[in-house]
Amino acid sequence: MHDWSRGAACQAMDPELFFPISTEGPGREQVEQAKAVCRGCPVRQPCLDYAIDTRQLNGVWGGTDPEQRRSLIPTVARRRETVPAPPLPGDH
């Protein structure tokens, strides 16, 4: 557990609120409810920093959904992630 997480507004809440099945349709409302909790959280920035640094692909972290966090990842890091792997010996 990270020290900052002890002060999180979500600490006593059901974690499922922050990990909706989808960010579309009915899941959109759940995402908005989770973000509302984050808006008043005293550790919102460290939470967001953690999510970006560790590439959290799911859930609401620091008041952001996965799509929002992807836009915050530095361009260089994104480029590194999208470089195709070299071919294996014997591949044509």
Side-chain angles (χ1 to χ4, degrees):
M1 178 177 264
H2 302 278
D3 288 338
W4 57 260
S5 67
R6 291 188 181 104
C10 62
Q11 191 66 25
M13 301 190 77
D14 183 349
E16 288 190 24
L17 173 64
F18 299 88
F19 293 92
I21 292 173
S22 170
T23 58
E24 304 298 322
R28 189 86 207 120
E29 183 177 329
Q30 186 176 341
V31 168
E32 293 308 319
Q33 289 173 353
K35 287 179 177 183
V37 172
C38 295
R39 277 192 285 279
C41 184
V43 296
R44 182 177 179 178
Q45 190 61 53
C47 179
L48 177 57
D49 293 343
Y50 171 81
I52 291 171
D53 291 345
T54 60
R55 304 289 195 265
Q56 295 297 315
L57 301 176
N58 299 303
V60 173
W61 293 83
T64 64
D65 59 50
E67 185 176 325
Q68 291 170 314
R69 286 193 303 281
R70 276 191 292 276
S71 71
L72 297 172
I73 295 172
T75 306
V76 173
R78 274 193 300 218
R79 242 182 293 160
R80 233 181 297 130
E81 292 173 0
T82 59
V83 173
L88 296 173
D91 280 354
H92 298 280

